[in-house]
């Protein structure tokens, strides 16, 4: 993980970093627009963004996307732009810009203004001006958009739940239609409940009707399983 989380160089902050290897230390807590609680916490020396019951950035979720991008060989794809639905603390953009060293435009859509505020205060690290944060509802943005992307990442949660409209035919088909030839779309899901399992199956069934390649990858970490659902536009670039 890059070092942009360590902007505070004070002795007291460094001490709290050390202590965070023994137990999490909450630096800031506030209610979100959708989540009951948003916490910026030091864990193992790093800043993470959590909701009341889930990691939103730079913890479990960061590792999930690291593994997913390795699985789908992002280093070979080298996308020339990206759309992120769900900003969080910027985990996905951090991986793209720092781990893969992609100098590409990234649009990040985030509905919760409190999350955007925390991102700006604690996590933003964009010296190249690559990231455009758009305060909007992801569902509406997708339906109204006509721009094409080489990489689309959909990571939309309220704690551990995803609103059902994001597994509907209208949303899924339109999101897939925004892929450039050769592009890939990744959807992060947690299949903890019967409803979540059914919605995951519904998304896969919808994508399977499209003229591309659909796949599913389970990433199990810390007693929780995330499912990365992917759709690839196989048309040549």
């Amino acid at each position: 993980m890059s070092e942009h989380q360590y902007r505070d160089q004070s002795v007291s902050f460094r001490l709290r970093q050390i202590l965070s290897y023994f137990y999490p230390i909450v630096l800031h807590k506030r209610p979100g627009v959708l989540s009951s609680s948003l916490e910026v916490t030091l864990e193992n020396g790093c800043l993470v963004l959590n909701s009341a019951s889930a990691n939103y950035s730079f913890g479990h979720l960061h590792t999930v996307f690291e593994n997913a991008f390795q699985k789908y060989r992002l280093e070979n794809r080298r996308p020339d732009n990206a759309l992120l639905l769900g900003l969080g603390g910027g985990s996905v953009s951090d991986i793209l810009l720092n781990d893969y060293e992609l100098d590409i435009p990234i649009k990040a859509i985030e509905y919760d203004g409190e999350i955007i505020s925390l991102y700006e205060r604690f996590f933003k690290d964009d010296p190249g001006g690559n990231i455009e944060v758009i305060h909007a509802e992801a569902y509406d943005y997708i339906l109204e958009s006509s721009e094409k992307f080489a990489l689309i990442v959909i990571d939309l949660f309220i704690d551990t739940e995803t609103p059902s409209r994001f597994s509907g035919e209208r949303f899924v088909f339109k999101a897939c239609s925004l892929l450039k030839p050769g592009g890939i779309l990744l959807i992060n899901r947690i299949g903890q409940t019967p409803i979540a399992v059914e919605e995951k199956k519904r998304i896969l069934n919808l994508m399977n009707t499209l003229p591309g390649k659909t796949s599913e990858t389970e990433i199990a970490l810390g007693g929780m399983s995330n499912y990365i659902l992917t759709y690839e536009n196989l048309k040549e670039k």
Side-chain angles (χ1 to χ4, degrees):
M1 196 180 302
S2 64
E3 293 187 355
H4 70 272
Q5 295 96 318
Y6 305 110
R7 287 182 294 181
D8 188 338
Q9 300 296 316
S10 67
V11 174
S12 62
F13 182 78
R14 290 295 188 180
L15 177 59
R16 284 180 287 179
Q17 276 188 301
I18 294 170
L19 293 174
S20 73
Y21 285 93
F22 302 96
Y23 53 87
I25 297 176
V26 177
L27 300 180
H28 187 86
K29 183 175 181 178
R30 67 169 70 169
V33 173
L34 299 175
S35 300
S36 60
S37 176
L38 296 171
E39 296 181 357
V40 177
T41 305
L42 273 170
E43 297 179 8
N44 296 316
C46 296
L47 286 181
V48 303
L49 177 63
N50 295 326
S51 69
S53 53
N55 173 246
Y56 275 6
S57 286
F58 294 107
H60 171 93
L61 183 71
H62 197 87
T63 306
V64 165
F65 278 110
E66 285 178 327
N67 291 350
F69 290 152
Q70 290 173 7
K71 164 76 175 180
Y72 292 99
R73 299 185 180 279
L74 196 68
E75 71 278 7
N76 295 332
R77 295 177 181 274
R78 308 300 295 179
D80 58 7
N81 67 347
L83 173 66
L84 314 180
L85 301 185
L87 169 68
S91 264
V92 173
S93 59
D94 179 83
I95 295 170
L96 297 178
L97 297 176
N98 294 308
D99 293 1
Y100 287 92
E101 299 181 340
L102 297 174
D103 185 14
I104 62 172
I106 298 171
K107 287 191 174 181
I109 313 305
E110 178 57 58
Y111 176 73
D112 193 326
E114 295 301 323
I115 288 179
I116 294 175
S117 177
L118 293 175
Y119 166 78
E120 296 280 349
R121 177 177 173 184
F122 291 97
F123 298 98
K124 184 177 180 180
D125 179 27
D126 184 26
N130 297 80
I131 306 169
E132 179 185 0
V133 177
I134 299 173
H135 187 189
E137 213 287 330
Y139 186 90
D140 295 336
Y141 183 89
I142 284 292
L143 294 188
E144 295 168 4
S145 180
S146 59
E147 185 175 358
K148 301 290 185 177
F149 297 91
L151 172 67
I152 300 175
V153 177
I154 302 177
D155 184 45
L156 297 169
F157 287 92
I158 302 173
D159 291 328
T160 60
E161 304 294 327
T162 300
S164 60
R165 64 183 178 277
F166 295 114
S167 60
E169 178 178 311
R170 193 178 184 197
F171 177 82
V172 172
F173 284 170
K174 183 61 190 296
C176 291
S177 77
L178 297 181
L179 280 178
K180 292 181 177 181
I184 184 170
L185 177 149
L186 296 89
I187 303 175
N188 180 31
R189 284 284 174 141
I190 300 174
Q192 288 186 311
T193 66
I195 293 176
V197 171
E198 287 303 312
E199 289 185 343
K200 177 171 68 72
K201 290 179 180 178
R202 174 174 169 78
I203 292 169
L204 289 169
N205 289 336
L206 288 170
M207 294 195 298
N208 276 327
T209 67
L210 299 172
K213 181 181 178 182
T214 301
S215 59
E216 175 185 3
T217 299
E218 180 181 0
I219 300 176
L221 294 168
M224 178 181 293
S225 287
N226 286 66
Y227 297 88
I228 302 297
L229 317 179
T230 64
Y231 174 75
E232 300 178 63
N233 184 344
L234 298 181
K235 294 179 182 179
E236 294 186 5
K237 297 180 180 180

